Amino acid sequence: MTNSPELPDSTPTIADPAGAPSGPQGALDSGTFDRILEPRSPRRLPLGDGTWHQLARSYVWVRLISLALFLAVVLVAAFVLALLTRTAWPWIPGGVLSAGIVWAAAITPRQARAFGYQLRSDDLVFRRGILWQRMVAVPYGRMQLVDITHGPLDRAFGIAQLKLVTAAAATGVVIPGLTQDAAEHLRDTLIDVAEARRTGL
């Protein structure tokens, strides 16, 4: 794939012209998946040209552990309710919820590899989804806030979530499962470019 065009000299550089990250830019691809998984349908949303960056591999473990803890809570709650009521009905919703959690855990590895983001000359493009695909382009000049959050489990695995807030709520983007280095580097880069675009540099 060809790389996206360079930004003008007066704007902070987003992508390396050779297509491979170098220096601080390499933080975006350290510890991540190597390629985006696409749906097999010929009517899928095309990736297009440019360099796509992906989530950290450890994001899958964080999701699986979170789902396992949620499953444990559901099973314990169903067991306690069954004891208190001395009936089996709590196992019906508990079983439905458990089946949904197991299904979510089964598709998590493939789902994580469907996430991707691309830094173009004028905007950031974010894509996600296998069955329900979404692709959003966020112009740099429309960004109002770039926020990084991470919980205890995220910190244990060295990942973070980056949220982009724009004037239009529908175009807001949340990129989960970035390495902390990638999240910080991406935040600083986007803030610099957004400020440059708003001031007309």
Side-chain angles (χ1 to χ4, degrees), residues 89-115:
W89 71 262
W91 290 108
I92 298 175
V96 172
L97 281 175
S98 298
I101 294 170
V102 170
W103 170 253
I107 66 173
T108 289
R110 180 171 177 82
Q111 188 180 50
R113 297 188 64 181
F115 284 86

Side-chain angles (χ1 to χ4, degrees), residues 29-83:
D29 298 314
S30 177
T32 64
F33 294 107
D34 55 357
R35 66 184 182 89
I36 294 178
L37 291 184
E38 294 185 87
R40 296 182 179 89
S41 171
R43 297 182 180 179
R44 65 183 181 272
L45 293 174
L47 287 178
D49 296 331
T51 301
W52 286 91
H53 307 284
Q54 291 192 265
L55 305 186
R57 295 177 183 271
S58 54
Y59 170 73
V60 173
W61 288 109
V62 171
R63 283 285 297 160
L64 292 177
I65 293 172
S66 299
L67 290 170
L69 293 175
F70 186 34
L71 177 60
V73 170
V74 169
L75 293 177
V76 169
F79 178 74
V80 171
L81 285 174
L83 283 180

Side-chain angles (χ1 to χ4, degrees), residues 1 6 11 24 34 43 58 60 77 100 118 120 138 158 171 183 197:
M1 289 189 294
E6 276 190 286
T11 306
D34 55 357
R43 297 182 180 179
S58 54
V60 173
Q118 185 183 71
R120 302 194 300 190
V138 183
T171 59
R197 294 303 170 92

Side-chain angles (χ1 to χ4, degrees), residues 140-145 191 193-201:
Y140 297 128
R142 300 293 299 276
M143 293 181 188
Q144 296 184 335
L145 175 68
I191 289 174
V193 177
E195 287 297 325
R197 294 303 170 92
R198 280 196 291 267
T199 56
L201 295 178

